[in-house]
Amino acid sequence: MFIGFSTCSCTHPGHFNIILPSTTGSYKCPLPHPKPVWISPVSLRAYRQIPDVLAKKGANIPQTYIRETPYHSITLHFKHAFRSVYRHELETRISHKPWTQEISKVTDWPRRRAVAEFRLCVRHDCLGAHLHRIGIHPDPYCTLCSFNEPMDRNHLGQCTALNNKTECEQYWEARTKMMEN
C-alpha cells in the first residue's frame, strides 16, 4: 500500500489529498468526487520530485551562521564591564580626598611601614580618635599620656609614653600599648 500526496484536479484544485493505490495499478483520490480521478504512476513520480527541487533551491540561498557565544566569554565580558564601572566610580569618589597624593608614595616601602603610612593617611589608624569616631572608644583622648589631646597622627610625635623615633615605629608602639591598657 502506497501513501503519497498529489493535487486533485476535479473539484478541489490545488488541494493536497492522500493517494491510495487502486486495484488496477493506478492511484485513486480517496475523496468523494462526482467522477473518479485516476492518477498514473508517471505523474506521481513528478510529484515526488517537487520536494527535491525545493531542497536544492533552498541549498543555494546563502545562510548566515550565528555562532553561540560561550558562557565563559559572556562572564568575562560582564566582569570587565562591572570592574571598569566600579573603578570609575571609586576614582570619582576619592578624587577630592586629601590623602590621594600621599598614597602614591606608599607602594615602594616595606610592608610594615607601608601599612602604617596608609592607615595614618586615610585616618583609619585604630588610634583613639578613629576608635571614638566609629563608636568603639568612649572618648578620642590619648590614654597613654596626660596631655588630654585627641590621639591621632599629630599627637604621635608629642606623646611622652612613646619612645621610638620614626612615625611608623611610634604608630605600632602606640597600638601595642593601647591593646595592653
CSV table of all heavy atoms in Angstrom, one decimal, residues 57-101:
chain,number,residue,atom,x,y,z
A,57,LYS,N,16.9,24.2,-4.3
A,57,LYS,CA,16.7,25.6,-4.4
A,57,LYS,C,17.1,26.3,-3.1
A,57,LYS,O,17.7,27.4,-3.0
A,57,LYS,CB,15.3,26.0,-4.8
A,57,LYS,CG,15.0,27.4,-5.3
A,57,LYS,CD,13.6,27.5,-5.7
A,57,LYS,CE,13.4,28.8,-6.4
A,57,LYS,NZ,12.0,28.9,-6.9
A,58,GLY,N,16.6,25.7,-2.0
A,58,GLY,CA,16.9,26.3,-0.6
A,58,GLY,C,18.4,26.2,-0.3
A,58,GLY,O,18.9,27.0,0.5
A,59,ALA,N,19.1,25.2,-0.8
A,59,ALA,CA,20.5,25.0,-0.5
A,59,ALA,C,21.4,26.1,-1.1
A,59,ALA,O,22.4,26.4,-0.7
A,59,ALA,CB,21.0,23.6,-1.0
A,60,ASN,N,20.9,26.7,-2.2
A,60,ASN,CA,21.6,27.8,-2.9
A,60,ASN,C,21.5,29.1,-2.2
A,60,ASN,O,22.2,30.1,-2.5
A,60,ASN,CB,21.2,27.8,-4.3
A,60,ASN,CG,21.6,26.6,-5.1
A,60,ASN,OD1,22.6,26.0,-4.7
A,60,ASN,ND2,20.9,26.3,-6.1
A,61,ILE,N,20.5,29.3,-1.3
A,61,ILE,CA,20.3,30.5,-0.6
A,61,ILE,C,21.4,30.7,0.5
A,61,ILE,O,21.6,29.8,1.2
A,61,ILE,CB,18.9,30.6,0.1
A,61,ILE,CG1,17.8,30.5,-1.0
A,61,ILE,CG2,18.8,31.8,0.9
A,61,ILE,CD1,16.4,30.3,-0.4
A,62,PRO,N,22.1,31.8,0.5
A,62,PRO,CA,23.2,32.0,1.4
A,62,PRO,C,22.6,32.0,2.9
A,62,PRO,O,21.7,32.8,3.2
A,62,PRO,CB,23.9,33.3,1.1
A,62,PRO,CG,22.9,34.0,0.2
A,62,PRO,CD,22.0,33.0,-0.4
A,63,GLN,N,23.2,31.2,3.7
A,63,GLN,CA,22.8,31.1,5.1
A,63,GLN,C,23.7,31.9,6.0
A,63,GLN,O,25.0,31.9,5.8
A,63,GLN,CB,22.8,29.7,5.6
A,63,GLN,CG,21.9,28.8,4.8
A,63,GLN,CD,20.5,28.9,5.1
A,63,GLN,OE1,20.1,29.1,6.2
A,63,GLN,NE2,19.6,28.7,4.1
A,64,THR,N,23.2,32.6,7.0
A,64,THR,CA,24.1,33.3,7.9
A,64,THR,C,24.2,32.4,9.2
A,64,THR,O,23.2,32.1,9.8
A,64,THR,CB,23.5,34.7,8.3
A,64,THR,OG1,22.2,34.5,8.9
A,64,THR,CG2,23.4,35.6,7.2
A,65,TYR,N,25.4,32.1,9.5
A,65,TYR,CA,25.7,31.2,10.6
A,65,TYR,C,25.9,32.1,11.9
A,65,TYR,O,26.8,32.9,11.9
A,65,TYR,CB,26.9,30.3,10.4
A,65,TYR,CG,27.2,29.4,11.5
A,65,TYR,CD1,26.4,28.4,11.8
A,65,TYR,CD2,28.4,29.7,12.3
A,65,TYR,CE1,26.7,27.5,12.9
A,65,TYR,CE2,28.7,28.8,13.4
A,65,TYR,CZ,27.9,27.8,13.6
A,65,TYR,OH,28.2,27.0,14.7
A,66,ILE,N,25.1,31.9,12.9
A,66,ILE,CA,25.2,32.6,14.1
A,66,ILE,C,25.8,31.7,15.1
A,66,ILE,O,25.2,30.7,15.5
A,66,ILE,CB,23.8,33.1,14.6
A,66,ILE,CG1,23.2,34.1,13.6
A,66,ILE,CG2,23.9,33.8,15.9
A,66,ILE,CD1,21.8,34.5,13.9
A,67,ARG,N,27.0,32.0,15.5
A,67,ARG,CA,27.8,31.2,16.4
A,67,ARG,C,27.4,31.6,17.8
A,67,ARG,O,27.3,32.8,18.2
A,67,ARG,CB,29.3,31.4,16.2
A,67,ARG,CG,30.1,30.3,17.0
A,67,ARG,CD,31.5,30.5,16.7
A,67,ARG,NE,31.9,31.5,17.6
A,67,ARG,CZ,33.1,32.2,17.6
A,67,ARG,NH1,33.9,31.9,16.6
A,67,ARG,NH2,33.4,33.1,18.4
A,68,GLU,N,27.1,30.6,18.7
A,68,GLU,CA,26.7,30.9,20.1
A,68,GLU,C,28.0,31.3,20.8
A,68,GLU,O,29.0,30.8,20.7
A,68,GLU,CB,26.1,29.7,20.7
A,68,GLU,CG,24.8,29.3,20.1
A,68,GLU,CD,24.2,28.0,20.8
A,68,GLU,OE1,24.7,27.6,21.9
A,68,GLU,OE2,23.2,27.5,20.3
A,69,THR,N,27.8,32.4,21.6
A,69,THR,CA,28.9,32.9,22.4
A,69,THR,C,29.1,32.0,23.7
A,69,THR,O,28.1,31.7,24.4
A,69,THR,CB,28.6,34.3,22.9
A,69,THR,OG1,28.3,35.1,21.8
A,69,THR,CG2,29.8,34.9,23.6
A,70,PRO,N,30.3,31.5,23.9
A,70,PRO,CA,30.5,30.6,25.1
A,70,PRO,C,30.2,31.4,26.4
A,70,PRO,O,30.3,32.6,26.5
A,70,PRO,CB,32.0,30.3,25.0
A,70,PRO,CG,32.4,30.6,23.7
A,70,PRO,CD,31.5,31.7,23.2
A,71,TYR,N,29.7,30.6,27.4
A,71,TYR,CA,29.4,31.1,28.7
A,71,TYR,C,30.6,31.8,29.3
A,71,TYR,O,30.4,32.9,29.9
A,71,TYR,CB,28.9,30.0,29.6
A,71,TYR,CG,28.6,30.4,31.0
A,71,TYR,CD1,27.4,31.1,31.3
A,71,TYR,CD2,29.5,30.1,32.1
A,71,TYR,CE1,27.2,31.5,32.6
A,71,TYR,CE2,29.2,30.5,33.4
A,71,TYR,CZ,28.0,31.2,33.6
A,71,TYR,OH,27.8,31.6,34.9
A,72,HIS,N,31.8,31.3,29.2
A,72,HIS,CA,33.0,31.8,29.8
A,72,HIS,C,33.2,33.2,29.2
A,72,HIS,O,33.6,34.2,29.9
A,72,HIS,CB,34.2,30.9,29.5
A,72,HIS,CG,35.4,31.4,30.1
A,72,HIS,ND1,35.7,31.5,31.4
A,72,HIS,CD2,36.5,31.9,29.5
A,72,HIS,CE1,36.9,32.0,31.7
A,72,HIS,NE2,37.4,32.2,30.5
A,73,SER,N,33.0,33.4,27.9
A,73,SER,CA,33.3,34.7,27.3
A,73,SER,C,32.3,35.8,27.8
A,73,SER,O,32.6,36.9,28.0
A,73,SER,CB,33.2,34.6,25.8
A,73,SER,OG,34.1,33.8,25.3
A,74,ILE,N,31.0,35.3,28.0
A,74,ILE,CA,30.0,36.3,28.5
A,74,ILE,C,30.3,36.7,29.9
A,74,ILE,O,30.2,37.9,30.2
A,74,ILE,CB,28.6,35.6,28.4
A,74,ILE,CG1,28.2,35.4,27.0
A,74,ILE,CG2,27.6,36.4,29.1
A,74,ILE,CD1,27.0,34.5,26.8
A,75,THR,N,30.7,35.8,30.7
A,75,THR,CA,31.0,36.1,32.1
A,75,THR,C,32.3,37.0,32.2
A,75,THR,O,32.3,38.0,33.0
A,75,THR,CB,31.3,34.9,33.0
A,75,THR,OG1,32.3,34.1,32.4
A,75,THR,CG2,30.0,34.1,33.2
A,76,LEU,N,33.3,36.8,31.3
A,76,LEU,CA,34.4,37.7,31.3
A,76,LEU,C,34.1,39.1,30.9
A,76,LEU,O,34.6,40.1,31.4
A,76,LEU,CB,35.5,37.1,30.4
A,76,LEU,CG,36.3,35.9,30.9
A,76,LEU,CD1,37.3,35.5,29.9
A,76,LEU,CD2,37.0,36.3,32.2
A,77,HIS,N,33.2,39.2,29.9
A,77,HIS,CA,32.7,40.5,29.4
A,77,HIS,C,32.0,41.2,30.5
A,77,HIS,O,32.3,42.4,30.8
A,77,HIS,CB,31.8,40.3,28.2
A,77,HIS,CG,31.2,41.6,27.8
A,77,HIS,ND1,31.9,42.5,27.1
A,77,HIS,CD2,29.9,42.1,27.9
A,77,HIS,CE1,31.1,43.6,26.9
A,77,HIS,NE2,29.9,43.3,27.3
A,78,PHE,N,31.1,40.6,31.3
A,78,PHE,CA,30.4,41.2,32.4
A,78,PHE,C,31.3,41.6,33.5
A,78,PHE,O,31.2,42.7,34.1
A,78,PHE,CB,29.3,40.4,32.9
A,78,PHE,CG,28.0,40.4,32.0
A,78,PHE,CD1,27.5,39.2,31.5
A,78,PHE,CD2,27.4,41.6,31.7
A,78,PHE,CE1,26.4,39.3,30.7
A,78,PHE,CE2,26.3,41.6,30.9
A,78,PHE,CZ,25.8,40.5,30.4
A,79,LYS,N,32.3,40.8,33.8
A,79,LYS,CA,33.3,41.1,34.9
A,79,LYS,C,34.0,42.3,34.5
A,79,LYS,O,34.2,43.2,35.3
A,79,LYS,CB,34.2,39.9,35.1
A,79,LYS,CG,33.7,38.8,36.0
A,79,LYS,CD,34.8,37.8,36.2
A,79,LYS,CE,34.3,36.6,36.9
A,79,LYS,NZ,35.3,35.6,37.1
A,80,HIS,N,34.5,42.4,33.3
A,80,HIS,CA,35.3,43.6,32.8
A,80,HIS,C,34.4,44.8,32.9
A,80,HIS,O,34.9,45.9,33.3
A,80,HIS,CB,35.8,43.3,31.4
A,80,HIS,CG,36.5,44.5,30.8
A,80,HIS,ND1,37.8,44.9,31.3
A,80,HIS,CD2,36.2,45.4,29.9
A,80,HIS,CE1,38.2,45.9,30.6
A,80,HIS,NE2,37.2,46.3,29.8
A,81,ALA,N,33.2,44.7,32.4
A,81,ALA,CA,32.3,45.9,32.4
A,81,ALA,C,32.0,46.4,33.8
A,81,ALA,O,32.1,47.6,34.1
A,81,ALA,CB,31.0,45.5,31.7
A,82,PHE,N,31.7,45.4,34.8
A,82,PHE,CA,31.4,45.8,36.1
A,82,PHE,C,32.6,46.4,36.8
A,82,PHE,O,32.5,47.4,37.6
A,82,PHE,CB,30.8,44.7,36.9
A,82,PHE,CG,29.5,44.3,36.5
A,82,PHE,CD1,29.1,43.0,36.4
A,82,PHE,CD2,28.5,45.3,36.3
A,82,PHE,CE1,27.8,42.6,36.0
A,82,PHE,CE2,27.2,44.9,36.0
A,82,PHE,CZ,26.9,43.6,35.8
A,83,ARG,N,33.8,45.8,36.6
A,83,ARG,CA,35.0,46.3,37.2
A,83,ARG,C,35.4,47.7,36.7
A,83,ARG,O,35.8,48.6,37.5
A,83,ARG,CB,36.2,45.4,37.0
A,83,ARG,CG,36.1,44.1,37.8
A,83,ARG,CD,37.3,43.2,37.6
A,83,ARG,NE,37.2,42.0,38.4
A,83,ARG,CZ,37.8,40.9,38.1
A,83,ARG,NH1,38.7,40.9,37.1
A,83,ARG,NH2,37.6,39.9,38.9
A,84,SER,N,35.2,47.9,35.4
A,84,SER,CA,35.5,49.3,34.9
A,84,SER,C,34.6,50.3,35.4
A,84,SER,O,35.0,51.4,35.8
A,84,SER,CB,35.5,49.3,33.4
A,84,SER,OG,34.3,49.0,32.9
A,85,VAL,N,33.3,50.0,35.6
A,85,VAL,CA,32.3,50.9,36.1
A,85,VAL,C,32.7,51.2,37.6
A,85,VAL,O,32.7,52.3,38.0
A,85,VAL,CB,30.9,50.4,36.0
A,85,VAL,CG1,29.9,51.2,36.8
A,85,VAL,CG2,30.5,50.4,34.5
A,86,TYR,N,33.0,50.1,38.3
A,86,TYR,CA,33.3,50.3,39.8
A,86,TYR,C,34.6,51.1,39.9
A,86,TYR,O,34.6,52.0,40.8
A,86,TYR,CB,33.5,48.9,40.4
A,86,TYR,CG,33.9,49.0,41.8
A,86,TYR,CD1,33.1,49.4,42.9
A,86,TYR,CD2,35.3,48.7,42.2
A,86,TYR,CE1,33.5,49.6,44.2
A,86,TYR,CE2,35.7,48.8,43.5
A,86,TYR,CZ,34.8,49.2,44.5
A,86,TYR,OH,35.3,49.4,45.8
A,87,ARG,N,35.6,50.8,39.1
A,87,ARG,CA,36.8,51.6,39.2
A,87,ARG,C,36.6,53.1,38.9
A,87,ARG,O,37.1,53.9,39.6
A,87,ARG,CB,37.8,51.0,38.2
A,87,ARG,CG,39.2,51.5,38.4
A,87,ARG,CD,40.3,50.8,37.5
A,87,ARG,NE,40.3,49.4,37.9
A,87,ARG,CZ,40.1,48.4,37.1
A,87,ARG,NH1,39.8,48.6,35.8
A,87,ARG,NH2,40.2,47.1,37.5
A,88,HIS,N,35.8,53.4,37.9
A,88,HIS,CA,35.5,54.8,37.6
A,88,HIS,C,34.7,55.4,38.7
A,88,HIS,O,35.1,56.6,39.1
A,88,HIS,CB,34.7,54.8,36.3
A,88,HIS,CG,34.3,56.2,35.9
A,88,HIS,ND1,35.2,57.1,35.5
A,88,HIS,CD2,33.1,56.9,35.9
A,88,HIS,CE1,34.6,58.3,35.2
A,88,HIS,NE2,33.3,58.1,35.5
A,89,GLU,N,33.8,54.8,39.3
A,89,GLU,CA,33.0,55.4,40.4
A,89,GLU,C,33.9,55.6,41.6
A,89,GLU,O,33.9,56.6,42.3
A,89,GLU,CB,31.9,54.5,40.8
A,89,GLU,CG,30.7,54.5,39.9
A,89,GLU,CD,29.6,53.5,40.3
A,89,GLU,OE1,29.7,52.9,41.4
A,89,GLU,OE2,28.6,53.4,39.5
A,90,LEU,N,34.8,54.6,41.9
A,90,LEU,CA,35.7,54.7,43.0
A,90,LEU,C,36.7,55.9,42.8
A,90,LEU,O,37.0,56.7,43.7
A,90,LEU,CB,36.5,53.4,43.2
A,90,LEU,CG,37.5,53.4,44.4
A,90,LEU,CD1,36.7,53.5,45.7
A,90,LEU,CD2,38.3,52.1,44.4
A,91,GLU,N,37.2,56.1,41.6
A,91,GLU,CA,38.1,57.2,41.3
A,91,GLU,C,37.4,58.5,41.5
A,91,GLU,O,38.0,59.5,42.0
A,91,GLU,CB,38.7,57.0,39.9
A,91,GLU,CG,39.7,55.9,39.8
A,91,GLU,CD,40.1,55.7,38.3
A,91,GLU,OE1,39.6,56.4,37.4
A,91,GLU,OE2,41.0,54.8,38.1
A,92,THR,N,36.2,58.6,41.1
A,92,THR,CA,35.5,59.9,41.3
A,92,THR,C,35.2,60.2,42.7
A,92,THR,O,35.2,61.3,43.1
A,92,THR,CB,34.2,59.9,40.5
A,92,THR,OG1,33.3,58.8,40.8
A,92,THR,CG2,34.4,59.9,39.0
A,93,ARG,N,34.9,59.1,43.5
A,93,ARG,CA,34.6,59.4,44.9
A,93,ARG,C,35.8,59.8,45.7
A,93,ARG,O,35.7,60.6,46.6
A,93,ARG,CB,34.0,58.1,45.6
A,93,ARG,CG,32.5,57.9,45.2
A,93,ARG,CD,31.9,56.9,46.1
A,93,ARG,NE,32.8,55.7,46.3
A,93,ARG,CZ,32.3,54.5,46.6
A,93,ARG,NH1,31.0,54.3,46.7
A,93,ARG,NH2,33.1,53.5,46.7
A,94,ILE,N,37.0,59.2,45.4
A,94,ILE,CA,38.2,59.5,46.2
A,94,ILE,C,39.0,60.7,45.6
A,94,ILE,O,40.0,61.0,46.2
A,94,ILE,CB,39.1,58.3,46.4
A,94,ILE,CG1,39.7,57.8,45.1
A,94,ILE,CG2,38.3,57.2,47.1
A,94,ILE,CD1,40.8,56.8,45.3
A,95,SER,N,38.6,61.2,44.5
A,95,SER,CA,39.4,62.2,43.9
A,95,SER,C,39.5,63.5,44.7
A,95,SER,O,40.5,64.2,44.6
A,95,SER,CB,38.9,62.6,42.5
A,95,SER,OG,37.6,63.1,42.6
A,96,HIS,N,38.5,63.8,45.5
A,96,HIS,CA,38.6,65.0,46.3
A,96,HIS,C,39.2,64.8,47.7
A,96,HIS,O,39.3,65.7,48.5
A,96,HIS,CB,37.2,65.6,46.5
A,96,HIS,CG,36.2,64.7,47.3
A,96,HIS,ND1,35.6,63.6,46.7
A,96,HIS,CD2,35.9,64.8,48.6
A,96,HIS,CE1,34.9,63.1,47.6
A,96,HIS,NE2,35.0,63.7,48.8
A,97,LYS,N,39.6,63.6,48.0
A,97,LYS,CA,40.2,63.3,49.3
A,97,LYS,C,41.6,63.9,49.4
A,97,LYS,O,42.4,63.8,48.4
A,97,LYS,CB,40.3,61.8,49.6
A,97,LYS,CG,38.9,61.1,49.5
A,97,LYS,CD,38.1,61.3,50.8
A,97,LYS,CE,36.8,60.5,50.7
A,97,LYS,NZ,36.1,60.6,51.9
A,98,PRO,N,42.0,64.4,50.6
A,98,PRO,CA,43.3,65.0,50.7
A,98,PRO,C,44.5,64.0,50.7
A,98,PRO,O,45.6,64.4,50.4
A,98,PRO,CB,43.3,65.7,52.1
A,98,PRO,CG,42.2,65.0,52.8
A,98,PRO,CD,41.2,64.5,51.8
A,99,TRP,N,44.3,62.7,50.9
A,99,TRP,CA,45.3,61.8,51.1
A,99,TRP,C,45.6,61.0,49.8
A,99,TRP,O,46.5,60.2,49.7
A,99,TRP,CB,45.0,60.7,52.1
A,99,TRP,CG,43.6,60.2,52.1
A,99,TRP,CD1,42.6,60.6,52.9
A,99,TRP,CD2,43.1,59.2,51.3
A,99,TRP,NE1,41.5,59.9,52.6
A,99,TRP,CE2,41.8,59.0,51.6
A,99,TRP,CE3,43.7,58.3,50.3
A,99,TRP,CZ2,41.0,58.0,51.0
A,99,TRP,CZ3,42.9,57.4,49.7
A,99,TRP,CH2,41.5,57.3,50.0
A,100,THR,N,45.0,61.4,48.7
A,100,THR,CA,45.2,60.6,47.4
A,100,THR,C,46.6,60.8,46.9
A,100,THR,O,47.2,59.9,46.3
A,100,THR,CB,44.2,61.1,46.3
A,100,THR,OG1,44.2,62.5,46.2
A,100,THR,CG2,42.8,60.6,46.7
A,101,GLN,N,47.2,62.0,47.1
A,101,GLN,CA,48.6,62.2,46.6
A,101,GLN,C,49.6,61.4,47.4
A,101,GLN,O,50.6,60.9,46.9
A,101,GLN,CB,48.9,63.7,46.5
A,101,GLN,CG,48.1,64.5,45.6
A,101,GLN,CD,48.2,64.0,44.2
A,101,GLN,OE1,49.3,63.7,43.7
A,101,GLN,NE2,47.1,64.0,43.4
